[in-house]
Amino acid sequence: MTIFKEKVSEEFLTVAETKEILEDLEMERAAEEDREMRYELKRAIEHVNRFAVLDPEESLQLVEDLEELEKVDTPTAYKIANLRPLDRDELRAVFAKERYTLDGDELDDILNIVKQYA
């Protein structure tokens, strides 16, 4: 049982974009002395500060480069951009739920794009 009735909208974000949004929210909350940040928000800010390596423009360019490949759809491109896998095994984990498998050349093409942004 869930408390949500329907999905109103969905938007994919990279970790770098999320960091930018949460930084703005953190500044807004810090300006108000009587308003405290919830535990979940603090943990989310810690997470993006730790894992956001690229700036938002670079991360979006990485997503665009990945989407140009035939077997990489938008949700998968964002997942790869957020995880930035370093080898074939990590990349295979991203495609584990897909109904198709990628051959070595396709995996290497993706990894080469990711390495350009490392």
Side-chain angles (χ1 to χ4, degrees):
M1 184 172 119
T2 62
I3 59 172
F4 304 108
K5 293 187 177 185
E6 67 180 274
K7 186 186 297 187
V8 176
S9 68
E10 183 176 78
E11 179 181 355
F12 295 105
L13 296 173
T14 63
V15 174
E17 291 175 294
T18 306
K19 180 180 179 181
E20 196 172 67
I21 292 168
L22 290 178
E23 282 175 348
D24 293 341
L25 185 61
E26 184 178 24
M27 292 296 183
E28 181 183 307
R29 296 277 173 101
E32 301 175 23
E33 290 181 23
D34 60 333
R35 195 165 180 189
E36 189 174 317
M37 282 196 297
R38 297 181 61 187
Y39 171 78
E40 294 85 356
L41 179 59
K42 288 180 187 177
R43 295 290 294 161
I45 291 169
E46 287 174 21
H47 179 83
V48 297
N49 285 336
R50 181 177 298 149
F51 294 108
V53 177
L54 303 174
D55 59 41
E57 293 80 22
E58 285 180 319
S59 63
L60 288 175
Q61 184 61 47
L62 173 56
V63 169
E64 287 178 19
D65 292 348
L66 290 168
E67 288 177 328
E68 289 176 6
L69 298 174
E70 181 181 338
K71 298 245 178 153
V72 180
D73 58 357
T74 300
T76 306
Y78 275 91
K79 193 179 300 183
I80 293 170
N82 288 333
L83 296 174
R84 291 180 306 112
L86 300 175
D87 59 31
R88 286 182 175 185
D89 291 332
E90 291 177 358
L91 187 55
R92 280 189 187 105
V94 173
F95 287 94
K97 288 187 172 183
E98 302 297 331
R99 294 185 180 264
Y100 55 87
T101 57
L102 301 177
D103 64 20
D105 291 335
E106 292 170 324
L107 291 171
D108 289 338
D109 291 342
I110 295 170
L111 288 173
N112 288 335
I113 292 173
V114 172
K115 286 177 184 174
Q116 292 175 3
Y117 293 89

